[in-house]
Amino acid sequence: DSRTLRRVQLENVGDIGTKWRLNPAAFLPNFSVEPTEGFLNPHDATALEVAFHPAAVSDDVRRDNLPVYVDGADPLALTLTGICVSQEPEEEVVAFATAVRTPVTVAIPPIHNPTDLPWRLRPVVHNDFWSGPELLEVPPRGEAAYPLTYRPLSMTAGDGVPPPAGGAERPERH
């Protein structure tokens, strides 16, 4: 679920206003754009938000010569490129110990960025007991650790499973 946004400026350097439009289907599956149509007054500009959301790992994701249709002119050509690298999984146990309903935050092992461009990652956490920042920025040729917070809402038997009923022994911390 990687995604990044870039702005592309569309400018009217002429003396007559004009309509423009893009074919959003031509950007798929790895790119999308908003807005897809509009009107440019003379000597005015508009920003297009181009999203890169690669469908697979590739060192050369591209869409060449995407047409930008401008009324009264030949289509302009827009080329988009991107790169999607995989992150090798690192098997390391991250231990959490806390009292019930008391959050604890631990930094997971650092994520390494071997490229010359900064990464803006959006981690996905699907659990009511776990949370973390919506965005992790990893500098070029650098690394960043993700702070993951565990907040148990009920007592567990130490293995993430609630203790059995009937007064079985329960740990004070987990």
Side-chain angles (χ1 to χ4, degrees):
D1 290 338
S2 297
R3 181 181 183 87
T4 188
L5 294 174
R6 293 290 184 265
R7 286 194 174 164
V8 175
Q9 184 166 301
L10 185 59
E11 206 173 332
N12 181 355
V13 295
D15 294 327
I16 299 173
T18 188
K19 290 182 183 179
W20 61 271
R21 65 182 167 78
L22 301 163
N23 177 4
F27 287 72
L28 298 174
N30 297 305
F31 298 94
S32 56
V33 63
E34 286 291 329
T36 58
E37 61 183 56
F39 184 86
L40 274 173
N41 289 314
H43 308 287
D44 199 6
T46 190
L48 306 177
E49 290 278 336
V50 177
F52 176 52
H53 38 81
V57 173
S58 175
D59 61 355
D60 187 19
V61 180
R62 65 177 44 244
R63 296 294 294 159
D64 289 313
N65 300 315
L66 293 164
V68 180
Y69 300 103
V70 179
D71 283 359
D74 291 334
L76 304 171
L78 175 65
T79 295
L80 303 174
T81 62
I83 182 172
C84 180
V85 297
S86 65
Q87 179 70 33
E88 293 299 321
E90 295 181 23
E91 293 191 26
E92 184 174 322
V93 174
V94 179
F96 290 82
T98 185
V100 69
R101 288 183 289 283
T102 302
V104 62
T105 300
V106 174
I108 64 167
I111 295 173
H112 304 279
N113 176 358
T115 71
D116 292 324
L117 297 173
W119 287 356
R120 293 173 51 95
L121 307 177
R122 295 192 189 283
V124 178
V125 179
H126 293 290
N127 190 299
D128 291 338
F129 300 110
W130 304 92
S131 64
E134 290 185 23
L135 185 67
L136 177 66
E137 296 189 14
V138 186
R141 303 234 173 255
E143 61 182 41
Y146 183 72
L148 186 62
T149 300
Y150 175 56
R151 182 173 186 197
L153 301 177
S154 61
M155 186 67 107
T156 65
D159 57 3
V161 178
E169 189 174 319
R170 298 185 335 171
E172 292 180 17
R173 295 174 61 86
H174 62 271

